[in-house]
PDB file of all heavy atoms in Angstrom:
ATOM      1  N   TYR A 570     -42.529  67.217  -7.866  1.00 95.00           N
ATOM      2  CA  TYR A 570     -42.202  66.345  -8.998  1.00 95.00           C
ATOM      3  C   TYR A 570     -43.224  65.220  -9.117  1.00 95.00           C
ATOM      4  O   TYR A 570     -43.685  64.880 -10.214  1.00 95.00           O
ATOM      5  CB  TYR A 570     -40.791  65.788  -8.818  1.00 95.00           C
ATOM      6  CG  TYR A 570     -40.390  64.760  -9.855  1.00 95.00           C
ATOM      7  CD1 TYR A 570     -40.308  65.091 -11.208  1.00 95.00           C
ATOM      8  CD2 TYR A 570     -40.087  63.450  -9.484  1.00 95.00           C
ATOM      9  CE1 TYR A 570     -39.946  64.153 -12.158  1.00 95.00           C
ATOM     10  CE2 TYR A 570     -39.722  62.506 -10.419  1.00 95.00           C
ATOM     11  CZ  TYR A 570     -39.653  62.861 -11.767  1.00 95.00           C
ATOM     12  OH  TYR A 570     -39.298  61.923 -12.708  1.00 95.00           O
ATOM     13  N   TYR A 571     -43.603  64.645  -7.991  1.00 96.00           N
ATOM     14  CA  TYR A 571     -44.563  63.529  -7.973  1.00 96.00           C
ATOM     15  C   TYR A 571     -45.921  63.946  -8.557  1.00 96.00           C
ATOM     16  O   TYR A 571     -46.551  63.179  -9.292  1.00 96.00           O
ATOM     17  CB  TYR A 571     -44.729  63.049  -6.526  1.00 96.00           C
ATOM     18  CG  TYR A 571     -45.716  61.917  -6.326  1.00 96.00           C
ATOM     19  CD1 TYR A 571     -45.440  60.625  -6.765  1.00 96.00           C
ATOM     20  CD2 TYR A 571     -46.920  62.147  -5.655  1.00 96.00           C
ATOM     21  CE1 TYR A 571     -46.330  59.586  -6.557  1.00 96.00           C
ATOM     22  CE2 TYR A 571     -47.820  61.110  -5.433  1.00 96.00           C
ATOM     23  CZ  TYR A 571     -47.520  59.833  -5.890  1.00 96.00           C
ATOM     24  OH  TYR A 571     -48.421  58.813  -5.677  1.00 96.00           O
ATOM     25  N   PHE A 572     -46.349  65.158  -8.261  1.00 96.00           N
ATOM     26  CA  PHE A 572     -47.656  65.616  -8.730  1.00 96.00           C
ATOM     27  C   PHE A 572     -47.599  66.325 -10.085  1.00 96.00           C
ATOM     28  O   PHE A 572     -48.641  66.696 -10.629  1.00 96.00           O
ATOM     29  CB  PHE A 572     -48.290  66.548  -7.690  1.00 96.00           C
ATOM     30  CG  PHE A 572     -48.861  65.828  -6.506  1.00 96.00           C
ATOM     31  CD1 PHE A 572     -48.151  65.743  -5.310  1.00 96.00           C
ATOM     32  CD2 PHE A 572     -50.105  65.220  -6.579  1.00 96.00           C
ATOM     33  CE1 PHE A 572     -48.677  65.068  -4.214  1.00 96.00           C
ATOM     34  CE2 PHE A 572     -50.633  64.536  -5.484  1.00 96.00           C
ATOM     35  CZ  PHE A 572     -49.915  64.466  -4.297  1.00 96.00           C
ATOM     36  N   SER A 573     -46.405  66.520 -10.629  1.00 94.00           N
ATOM     37  CA  SER A 573     -46.276  67.229 -11.909  1.00 94.00           C
ATOM     38  C   SER A 573     -46.613  66.312 -13.084  1.00 94.00           C
ATOM     39  O   SER A 573     -46.590  65.086 -12.964  1.00 94.00           O
ATOM     40  CB  SER A 573     -44.858  67.771 -12.067  1.00 94.00           C
ATOM     41  OG  SER A 573     -43.955  66.707 -12.353  1.00 94.00           O
ATOM     42  N   GLU A 574     -46.906  66.926 -14.214  1.00 92.00           N
ATOM     43  CA  GLU A 574     -47.207  66.163 -15.430  1.00 92.00           C
ATOM     44  C   GLU A 574     -45.937  65.593 -16.058  1.00 92.00           C
ATOM     45  O   GLU A 574     -46.002  64.697 -16.905  1.00 92.00           O
ATOM     46  CB  GLU A 574     -47.931  67.059 -16.439  1.00 92.00           C
ATOM     47  CG  GLU A 574     -49.315  67.505 -15.976  1.00 92.00           C
ATOM     48  CD  GLU A 574     -50.000  68.389 -17.002  1.00 92.00           C
ATOM     49  OE1 GLU A 574     -49.375  68.667 -18.059  1.00 92.00           O
ATOM     50  OE2 GLU A 574     -51.159  68.796 -16.763  1.00 92.00           O
ATOM     51  N   LYS A 575     -44.778  66.111 -15.650  1.00 91.00           N
ATOM     52  CA  LYS A 575     -43.512  65.684 -16.242  1.00 91.00           C
ATOM     53  C   LYS A 575     -42.866  64.519 -15.490  1.00 91.00           C
ATOM     54  O   LYS A 575     -41.778  64.083 -15.847  1.00 91.00           O
ATOM     55  CB  LYS A 575     -42.542  66.866 -16.285  1.00 91.00           C
ATOM     56  CG  LYS A 575     -43.004  67.987 -17.215  1.00 91.00           C
ATOM     57  CD  LYS A 575     -41.987  69.126 -17.250  1.00 91.00           C
ATOM     58  CE  LYS A 575     -42.448  70.230 -18.178  1.00 91.00           C
ATOM     59  NZ  LYS A 575     -41.477  71.364 -18.213  1.00 91.00           N
ATOM     60  N   VAL A 576     -43.522  64.024 -14.448  1.00 93.00           N
ATOM     61  CA  VAL A 576     -42.953  62.913 -13.688  1.00 93.00           C
ATOM     62  C   VAL A 576     -42.860  61.669 -14.563  1.00 93.00           C
ATOM     63  O   VAL A 576     -43.772  61.361 -15.335  1.00 93.00           O
ATOM     64  CB  VAL A 576     -43.794  62.619 -12.431  1.00 93.00           C
ATOM     65  CG1 VAL A 576     -45.205  62.196 -12.785  1.00 93.00           C
ATOM     66  CG2 VAL A 576     -43.110  61.564 -11.556  1.00 93.00           C
ATOM     67  N   GLU A 577     -41.750  60.977 -14.493  1.00 93.00           N
ATOM     68  CA  GLU A 577     -41.573  59.763 -15.297  1.00 93.00           C
ATOM     69  C   GLU A 577     -42.459  58.651 -14.734  1.00 93.00           C
ATOM     70  O   GLU A 577     -42.538  58.461 -13.516  1.00 93.00           O
ATOM     71  CB  GLU A 577     -40.107  59.313 -15.276  1.00 93.00           C
ATOM     72  CG  GLU A 577     -39.177  60.265 -16.001  1.00 93.00           C
ATOM     73  CD  GLU A 577     -37.753  59.746 -16.041  1.00 93.00           C
ATOM     74  OE1 GLU A 577     -37.577  58.500 -16.010  1.00 93.00           O
ATOM     75  OE2 GLU A 577     -36.822  60.562 -16.095  1.00 93.00           O
ATOM     76  N   ARG A 578     -43.104  57.931 -15.639  1.00 93.00           N
ATOM     77  CA  ARG A 578     -44.038  56.879 -15.231  1.00 93.00           C
ATOM     78  C   ARG A 578     -43.366  55.850 -14.324  1.00 93.00           C
ATOM     79  O   ARG A 578     -43.952  55.378 -13.352  1.00 93.00           O
ATOM     80  CB  ARG A 578     -44.604  56.190 -16.481  1.00 93.00           C
ATOM     81  CG  ARG A 578     -45.642  55.116 -16.196  1.00 93.00           C
ATOM     82  CD  ARG A 578     -46.954  55.718 -15.784  1.00 93.00           C
ATOM     83  NE  ARG A 578     -47.945  54.690 -15.434  1.00 93.00           N
ATOM     84  CZ  ARG A 578     -49.120  54.966 -14.892  1.00 93.00           C
ATOM     85  NH1 ARG A 578     -49.462  56.211 -14.640  1.00 93.00           N
ATOM     86  NH2 ARG A 578     -49.957  54.000 -14.589  1.00 93.00           N
ATOM     87  N   GLY A 579     -42.122  55.520 -14.614  1.00 94.00           N
ATOM     88  CA  GLY A 579     -41.400  54.511 -13.845  1.00 94.00           C
ATOM     89  C   GLY A 579     -41.014  54.974 -12.450  1.00 94.00           C
ATOM     90  O   GLY A 579     -40.556  54.162 -11.636  1.00 94.00           O
ATOM     91  N   HIS A 580     -41.175  56.281 -12.182  1.00 95.00           N
ATOM     92  CA  HIS A 580     -40.822  56.809 -10.860  1.00 95.00           C
ATOM     93  C   HIS A 580     -42.011  56.862  -9.907  1.00 95.00           C
ATOM     94  O   HIS A 580     -41.829  56.979  -8.694  1.00 95.00           O
ATOM     95  CB  HIS A 580     -40.243  58.221 -10.995  1.00 95.00           C
ATOM     96  CG  HIS A 580     -38.909  58.259 -11.662  1.00 95.00           C
ATOM     97  ND1 HIS A 580     -38.314  59.432 -12.102  1.00 95.00           N
ATOM     98  CD2 HIS A 580     -38.030  57.269 -11.970  1.00 95.00           C
ATOM     99  CE1 HIS A 580     -37.139  59.162 -12.639  1.00 95.00           C
ATOM    100  NE2 HIS A 580     -36.944  57.854 -12.570  1.00 95.00           N
ATOM    101  N   LEU A 581     -43.219  56.830 -10.449  1.00 95.00           N
ATOM    102  CA  LEU A 581     -44.422  57.098  -9.651  1.00 95.00           C
ATOM    103  C   LEU A 581     -44.591  56.163  -8.453  1.00 95.00           C
ATOM    104  O   LEU A 581     -44.828  56.619  -7.335  1.00 95.00           O
ATOM    105  CB  LEU A 581     -45.672  57.019 -10.539  1.00 95.00           C
ATOM    106  CG  LEU A 581     -46.070  58.322 -11.252  1.00 95.00           C
ATOM    107  CD1 LEU A 581     -47.195  58.058 -12.238  1.00 95.00           C
ATOM    108  CD2 LEU A 581     -46.494  59.378 -10.224  1.00 95.00           C
ATOM    109  N   LEU A 582     -44.470  54.862  -8.684  1.00 96.00           N
ATOM    110  CA  LEU A 582     -44.758  53.896  -7.622  1.00 96.00           C
ATOM    111  C   LEU A 582     -43.757  54.020  -6.469  1.00 96.00           C
ATOM    112  O   LEU A 582     -44.148  54.137  -5.298  1.00 96.00           O
ATOM    113  CB  LEU A 582     -44.758  52.481  -8.190  1.00 96.00           C
ATOM    114  CG  LEU A 582     -45.484  51.409  -7.369  1.00 96.00           C
ATOM    115  CD1 LEU A 582     -46.942  51.775  -7.169  1.00 96.00           C
ATOM    116  CD2 LEU A 582     -45.376  50.049  -8.062  1.00 96.00           C
ATOM    117  N   SER A 583     -42.468  54.022  -6.787  1.00 95.00           N
ATOM    118  CA  SER A 583     -41.438  54.109  -5.741  1.00 95.00           C
ATOM    119  C   SER A 583     -41.525  55.440  -5.005  1.00 95.00           C
ATOM    120  O   SER A 583     -41.452  55.478  -3.766  1.00 95.00           O
ATOM    121  CB  SER A 583     -40.044  53.950  -6.359  1.00 95.00           C
ATOM    122  OG  SER A 583     -39.872  52.650  -6.875  1.00 95.00           O
ATOM    123  N   LEU A 584     -41.684  56.526  -5.752  1.00 96.00           N
ATOM    124  CA  LEU A 584     -41.747  57.839  -5.122  1.00 96.00           C
ATOM    125  C   LEU A 584     -43.015  57.992  -4.290  1.00 96.00           C
ATOM    126  O   LEU A 584     -42.994  58.629  -3.226  1.00 96.00           O
ATOM    127  CB  LEU A 584     -41.666  58.937  -6.191  1.00 96.00           C
ATOM    128  CG  LEU A 584     -41.558  60.379  -5.687  1.00 96.00           C
ATOM    129  CD1 LEU A 584     -40.399  60.536  -4.714  1.00 96.00           C
ATOM    130  CD2 LEU A 584     -41.405  61.345  -6.859  1.00 96.00           C
ATOM    131  N   GLY A 585     -44.106  57.386  -4.756  1.00 96.00           N
ATOM    132  CA  GLY A 585     -45.353  57.430  -3.999  1.00 96.00           C
ATOM    133  C   GLY A 585     -45.207  56.772  -2.634  1.00 96.00           C
ATOM    134  O   GLY A 585     -45.628  57.329  -1.611  1.00 96.00           O
ATOM    135  N   TYR A 586     -44.577  55.596  -2.599  1.00 96.00           N
ATOM    136  CA  TYR A 586     -44.367  54.901  -1.329  1.00 96.00           C
ATOM    137  C   TYR A 586     -43.424  55.701  -0.423  1.00 96.00           C
ATOM    138  O   TYR A 586     -43.626  55.790   0.787  1.00 96.00           O
ATOM    139  CB  TYR A 586     -43.801  53.500  -1.560  1.00 96.00           C
ATOM    140  CG  TYR A 586     -44.835  52.512  -2.046  1.00 96.00           C
ATOM    141  CD1 TYR A 586     -44.618  51.738  -3.185  1.00 96.00           C
ATOM    142  CD2 TYR A 586     -46.038  52.347  -1.367  1.00 96.00           C
ATOM    143  CE1 TYR A 586     -45.568  50.827  -3.629  1.00 96.00           C
ATOM    144  CE2 TYR A 586     -46.997  51.438  -1.801  1.00 96.00           C
ATOM    145  CZ  TYR A 586     -46.756  50.681  -2.942  1.00 96.00           C
ATOM    146  OH  TYR A 586     -47.697  49.795  -3.373  1.00 96.00           O
ATOM    147  N   PHE A 587     -42.388  56.276  -1.028  1.00 96.00           N
ATOM    148  CA  PHE A 587     -41.424  57.050  -0.239  1.00 96.00           C
ATOM    149  C   PHE A 587     -42.090  58.289   0.382  1.00 96.00           C
ATOM    150  O   PHE A 587     -41.925  58.569   1.574  1.00 96.00           O
ATOM    151  CB  PHE A 587     -40.241  57.466  -1.106  1.00 96.00           C
ATOM    152  CG  PHE A 587     -39.228  58.302  -0.377  1.00 96.00           C
ATOM    153  CD1 PHE A 587     -38.395  57.742   0.582  1.00 96.00           C
ATOM    154  CD2 PHE A 587     -39.108  59.670  -0.635  1.00 96.00           C
ATOM    155  CE1 PHE A 587     -37.472  58.516   1.267  1.00 96.00           C
ATOM    156  CE2 PHE A 587     -38.188  60.443   0.050  1.00 96.00           C
ATOM    157  CZ  PHE A 587     -37.359  59.869   1.003  1.00 96.00           C
ATOM    158  N   LEU A 588     -42.851  59.030  -0.428  1.00 97.00           N
ATOM    159  CA  LEU A 588     -43.514  60.231   0.082  1.00 97.00           C
ATOM    160  C   LEU A 588     -44.568  59.886   1.131  1.00 97.00           C
ATOM    161  O   LEU A 588     -44.768  60.626   2.102  1.00 97.00           O
ATOM    162  CB  LEU A 588     -44.155  61.013  -1.067  1.00 97.00           C
ATOM    163  CG  LEU A 588     -43.179  61.799  -1.949  1.00 97.00           C
ATOM    164  CD1 LEU A 588     -43.893  62.349  -3.181  1.00 97.00           C
ATOM    165  CD2 LEU A 588     -42.514  62.933  -1.170  1.00 97.00           C
ATOM    166  N   PHE A 589     -45.230  58.742   0.946  1.00 96.00           N
ATOM    167  CA  PHE A 589     -46.208  58.306   1.951  1.00 96.00           C
ATOM    168  C   PHE A 589     -45.516  58.113   3.296  1.00 96.00           C
ATOM    169  O   PHE A 589     -46.046  58.479   4.351  1.00 96.00           O
ATOM    170  CB  PHE A 589     -46.880  57.013   1.504  1.00 96.00           C
ATOM    171  CG  PHE A 589     -48.000  56.564   2.402  1.00 96.00           C
ATOM    172  CD1 PHE A 589     -49.264  57.130   2.292  1.00 96.00           C
ATOM    173  CD2 PHE A 589     -47.794  55.588   3.372  1.00 96.00           C
ATOM    174  CE1 PHE A 589     -50.304  56.732   3.134  1.00 96.00           C
ATOM    175  CE2 PHE A 589     -48.821  55.183   4.207  1.00 96.00           C
ATOM    176  CZ  PHE A 589     -50.078  55.760   4.094  1.00 96.00           C
ATOM    177  N   SER A 590     -44.292  57.566   3.259  1.00 96.00           N
ATOM    178  CA  SER A 590     -43.517  57.403   4.494  1.00 96.00           C
ATOM    179  C   SER A 590     -43.116  58.763   5.056  1.00 96.00           C
ATOM    180  O   SER A 590     -43.145  58.971   6.275  1.00 96.00           O
ATOM    181  CB  SER A 590     -42.275  56.555   4.224  1.00 96.00           C
ATOM    182  OG  SER A 590     -41.481  56.426   5.374  1.00 96.00           O
ATOM    183  N   CYS A 591     -42.754  59.699   4.181  1.00 96.00           N
ATOM    184  CA  CYS A 591     -42.355  61.041   4.619  1.00 96.00           C
ATOM    185  C   CYS A 591     -43.486  61.773   5.328  1.00 96.00           C
ATOM    186  O   CYS A 591     -43.234  62.656   6.165  1.00 96.00           O
ATOM    187  CB  CYS A 591     -41.905  61.881   3.420  1.00 96.00           C
ATOM    188  SG  CYS A 591     -40.304  61.416   2.730  1.00 96.00           S
ATOM    189  N   TYR A 592     -44.743  61.429   4.998  1.00 97.00           N
ATOM    190  CA  TYR A 592     -45.884  62.143   5.578  1.00 97.00           C
ATOM    191  C   TYR A 592     -46.675  61.306   6.596  1.00 97.00           C
ATOM    192  O   TYR A 592     -47.681  61.770   7.122  1.00 97.00           O
ATOM    193  CB  TYR A 592     -46.812  62.626   4.459  1.00 97.00           C
ATOM    194  CG  TYR A 592     -46.269  63.868   3.765  1.00 97.00           C
ATOM    195  CD1 TYR A 592     -45.507  63.760   2.607  1.00 97.00           C
ATOM    196  CD2 TYR A 592     -46.498  65.130   4.297  1.00 97.00           C
ATOM    197  CE1 TYR A 592     -44.992  64.889   1.981  1.00 97.00           C
ATOM    198  CE2 TYR A 592     -45.987  66.271   3.675  1.00 97.00           C
ATOM    199  CZ  TYR A 592     -45.227  66.138   2.519  1.00 97.00           C
ATOM    200  OH  TYR A 592     -44.712  67.267   1.914  1.00 97.00           O
TER     201      TYR A 592
END
Side-chain angles (χ1 to χ4, degrees):
Y570 174 63
Y571 179 71
F572 283 99
S573 74
E574 294 180 359
K575 295 181 180 179
V576 62
E577 292 184 28
R578 183 74 183 172
H580 292 168
L581 272 172
L582 200 59
S583 294
L584 187 54
Y586 284 128
F587 178 72
L588 285 171
F589 186 81
S590 178
C591 287
Y592 282 94

